[in-house]
Amino acid sequence: MMKFNISTFGCQMNEHDTEKIIWTLEKIGYQQTGYRDEADIIIFNTCAVRKTAEDRVFGQLGELQDLKRKNPNLIIAVCGCLMQKEEIRDYFLKKHRHIDIVFGTNNIHKLPQLIDRYLRTNEKVIDVIEDTKEISENIDSNRKYFYKAFVDIMYGCNNFCSYCIVPYTRGRERSRSVKSIINEVENLAQTGCKEITLLGQNVNSYGKTLDEKITFSQLLTILNNIEGIERIRFMTSHPKDFSDDLIDAYKSLDKLCNHLHLPVQSGSNRILKLMNRKYTKEEYLDKIYKIRECVPDIAITTDIIVGFPGETEEDFKETLDLVKKAKFDSAFTFLYSIREGTNAAKMTNQIPDEIKHERFQRLLDVLYPIGLESNQKLINTVQKILVEETSKSDENILSGRTESNKLVHFKGNNNIIGQIVDVEITDAKTFTLEGRLV
Ligand code: SAH
Ligand code: SF4
Ligand code: F3S
């Protein structure tokens, strides 16, 4: 029996693609292993969003050379976003000659065929579809958790933010049909799934490529009616398209979780324009104020890039000011990373690393106390927690998430994993809460 080992880099899209790869391989009788040294095939599902993500894959691929020397029959396959870019793909293949199979984000379903071709010919197999309008529906996922699941609703991105490589790795926007999404969610509900996270680079664009007339909030309304599903989340919404009908959805749909991830990237209007984000700091803040007014307990999180080309001290201070006004519950913060092929990579006024790092630290110094304060507000409240897993260090400690997506640790027996329980919050830290089962 063939054994495979898979490593995943990058975002939820990749995590979910990995679940599809696992399903595809288990369907042909392969067995997953957690150990690279006992695998017959090692797969890397890669991310291209920042240079650090690329370097990590590159380094770990280098380490596989030893394993391949010990076991010449070992098959090494690389897929994901890095392989969607011709220059990066060619560079990897040139530097790491032990790569046997390369496939892309659009042809996961073909993996068994590609392995078969490799085994028959013993020649490198490279099969990448750079852009496609097609969506392959005859693929399922072997999901990591039974109680929560990712559900793709759209693929690709048309926004071309000037720093971002994703439109070049994931192709143009295309939406899945309502029917196939409903089918998938109904099946999930039947197998005990309580929480779904709808995935897309820009979920507000849902439906634009479909013949049927449907918007993202209409899709949410339909999914809200599926019995068994208790929580609905989504990732990611773009501020330029974040509209009143989505605010109404938060008010009217009981299953839509009170959490919004709305990446702002910068607080400077000049930088936002150079980033091609199509909104201003003021417009962004207005949207935040409005949703907080309508949904007072909503948690708002964001993404921020520090050190975009040409970012001045004044620009950066605008970001700090926005953070103070928006009062984010938490944020993913990134040092700007040059991605070849994007417009920002051509800009000549790149920011020196020391300045990027110094600003990054100052940003965290503003973000953390705000996050802590918002967590402290939950002390002594009772929250509904979806119980997710036991702690790695102590099997009597469970972790789970509030509706607002905050991580909570509390004592309990692992037979309640997958259930939604009441937990009283007893303490708050910057990134986590502590509580006790009620
Ligand atoms: N589609 C999502 C995010 C995709 S990438 C959205 O638009 O919100 C996730 C995050 O990575 C982005 O929000 C951005 O903050 C960050 N990112 C993307 N390209 C980057 C780059 N070149 N350097 C640093 N951070 C980057
Ligand atoms: Fe990248 Fe912008 Fe598309 Fe998000 S919206 S994936 S940041 S181009
Ligand atoms: Fe995700 Fe990285 Fe690709 S963030 S879409 S895996 S480039």
Side-chain angles (χ1 to χ4, degrees):
M1 188 196 289
M2 291 276 271
K3 287 190 177 168
F4 68 96
N5 170 275
I6 183 159
S7 302
T8 313
F9 304 80
C11 66
Q12 288 94 341
M13 310 251 163
N14 262 18
E15 274 178 51
H16 187 35
D17 283 351
T18 289
E19 295 177 330
K20 295 181 201 167
I21 295 171
I22 295 172
W23 181 85
T24 307
L25 291 180
E26 286 183 343
K27 200 166 160 237
I28 56 166
Y30 287 25
Q31 195 186 14
Q32 194 182 0
T33 166
Y35 303 99
R36 283 184 188 162
D37 57 0
E38 63 171 46
D40 303 291
I41 169 163
I42 295 179
I43 305 160
F44 276 15
N45 189 6
T46 66
C47 169
V49 78
R50 282 169 292 277
K51 182 78 167 66
T52 45
E54 179 177 338
D55 291 346
R56 208 171 307 135
V57 175
F58 194 85
Q60 289 197 28
L61 265 173
E63 289 164 21
L64 295 187
Q65 213 156 1
D66 262 358
L67 280 179
K68 182 96 175 176
R69 222 173 277 132
K70 279 185 214 143
N71 170 16
N73 290 329
L74 173 67
I75 304 173
I76 295 176
V78 186
C79 63
C81 289
L82 279 172
M83 295 302 105
Q84 290 294 125
K85 285 269 293 174
E86 194 181 351
E87 311 86 88
I88 302 182
R89 187 166 70 232
D90 290 349
Y91 179 74
F92 269 61
L93 283 165
K94 201 171 109 204
K95 294 284 175 186
H96 288 310
R97 294 189 178 270
H98 53 292
I99 299 176
D100 303 306
I101 300 175
V102 166
F103 61 106
T105 52
N106 294 316
N107 55 355
I108 288 172
H109 56 288
K110 277 180 71 186
L111 182 56
Q113 272 166 269
L114 304 181
I115 297 175
D116 185 57
R117 198 197 314 165
Y118 174 76
L119 289 172
R120 273 188 292 110
T121 62
N122 211 19
E123 277 170 24
K124 257 187 224 309
V125 173
I126 295 157
D127 195 306
V128 175
I129 303 163
E130 296 211 340
D131 201 2
T132 177
K133 287 199 175 73
E134 263 171 59
I135 294 176
S136 172
E137 283 294 348
N138 48 11
I139 187 163
D140 206 338
S141 308
N142 184 338
R143 292 185 152 94
K144 204 167 161 186
Y145 308 98
F146 68 90
Y147 49 85
K148 63 172 186 177
F150 293 129
V151 176
D152 290 327
I153 63 163
M154 58 178 303
Y155 304 92
C157 180
N158 288 353
N159 286 320
F160 290 95
C161 302
S162 63
Y163 50 82
C164 185
I165 201 169
V166 173
Y168 306 92
T169 68
R170 292 273 170 174
R172 294 294 64 70
E173 254 172 45
R174 55 221 182 268
S175 297
R176 267 181 94 188
S177 73
V178 188
K179 200 165 142 250
S180 38
I181 296 171
I182 296 176
N183 254 339
E184 183 172 353
V185 177
E186 282 178 346
N187 285 337
L188 284 166
Q190 272 163 21
T191 55
C193 177
K194 301 236 164 65
E195 178 182 293
I196 53 169
T197 301
L198 308 176
L199 294 182
Q201 294 296 351
N202 180 16
V203 292
N204 310 86
S205 289
Y206 177 76
K208 286 189 183 152
T209 59
L210 295 174
D211 292 335
E212 46 197 324
K213 281 239 159 310
I214 177 144
T215 64
F216 178 55
S217 29
Q218 286 165 341
L219 175 72
L220 287 172
T221 308
I222 296 172
L223 298 179
N224 194 69
N225 289 329
I226 295 180
E227 212 174 308
I229 298 298
E230 297 187 33
R231 289 177 162 190
I232 303 174
R233 304 184 182 283
F234 59 85
M235 282 272 227
T236 302
S237 171
H238 192 301
K240 79 174 158 61
D241 301 315
F242 184 84
S243 53
D244 286 351
D245 64 330
L246 200 48
I247 296 184
D248 291 338
Y250 275 102
K251 283 195 286 188
S252 63
L253 304 178
D254 59 325
K255 295 178 184 173
L256 187 57
C257 288
N258 58 351
H259 170 223
L260 170 66
H261 185 67
L262 198 63
V264 67
Q265 315 299 357
S266 169
S268 153
N269 287 337
R270 201 179 67 83
I271 297 293
L272 285 170
K273 192 147 205 253
L274 290 169
M275 287 178 161
N276 193 28
R277 289 292 287 181
K278 302 196 172 78
Y279 54 84
T280 63
K281 174 189 184 189
E282 292 73 26
E283 283 162 351
Y284 181 90
L285 282 171
D286 279 347
K287 291 185 188 199
I288 298 273
Y289 295 152
K290 193 160 180 188
I291 189 153
R292 282 211 200 275
E293 198 180 296
C294 299
V295 190
D297 62 352
I298 196 161
I300 300 176
T301 56
T302 199
D303 293 348
I304 299 171
I305 297 177
V306 168
F308 183 84
E311 183 188 73
T312 63
E313 176 63 22
E314 284 315 303
D315 293 320
F316 177 65
K317 281 191 176 138
E318 289 287 327
T319 300
L320 294 181
D321 181 61
L322 175 128
V323 165
K324 288 176 195 154
K325 288 181 172 142
K327 294 199 176 21
F328 295 114
D329 288 83
S330 70
F332 294 108
T333 48
F334 306 106
L335 297 170
Y336 168 74
S337 170
I338 300 177
R339 302 282 65 204
E340 287 311 326
T342 62
N343 278 339
K346 295 182 208 122
M347 297 178 184
T348 49
N349 41 3
Q350 300 288 333
I351 304 296
D353 276 350
E354 314 86 78
I355 298 184
K356 278 190 204 168
H357 284 282
E358 185 251 347
R359 287 182 188 160
F360 191 81
Q361 191 52 52
R362 282 162 63 203
L363 175 60
L364 298 186
D365 290 344
V366 175
L367 277 165
Y368 286 171
I370 297 173
L372 178 63
E373 199 185 313
S374 93
N375 283 348
Q376 282 167 335
K377 284 192 188 136
L378 297 181
I379 294 178
N380 295 331
T381 66
V382 173
Q383 299 287 320
K384 294 244 173 277
I385 306 296
L386 174 57
V387 188
E388 302 203 333
E389 51 205 358
T390 47
S391 149
K392 282 181 191 77
S393 52
D394 181 349
E395 60 179 40
N396 297 313
I397 302 288
L398 297 170
S399 66
R401 286 188 185 265
T402 63
E403 212 188 285
S404 57
N405 208 34
K406 296 187 188 225
L407 191 62
V408 186
H409 297 295
F410 53 97
K411 270 208 179 97
N413 193 303
N414 64 10
N415 61 9
I416 58 168
I417 287 176
Q419 294 181 21
I420 294 178
V421 297
D422 284 332
V423 171
E424 185 188 346
I425 306 302
T426 51
D427 199 8
K429 300 187 177 136
T430 308
F431 303 110
T432 55
L433 300 167
E434 272 167 40
R436 101 166 64 83
L437 264 174
V438 180

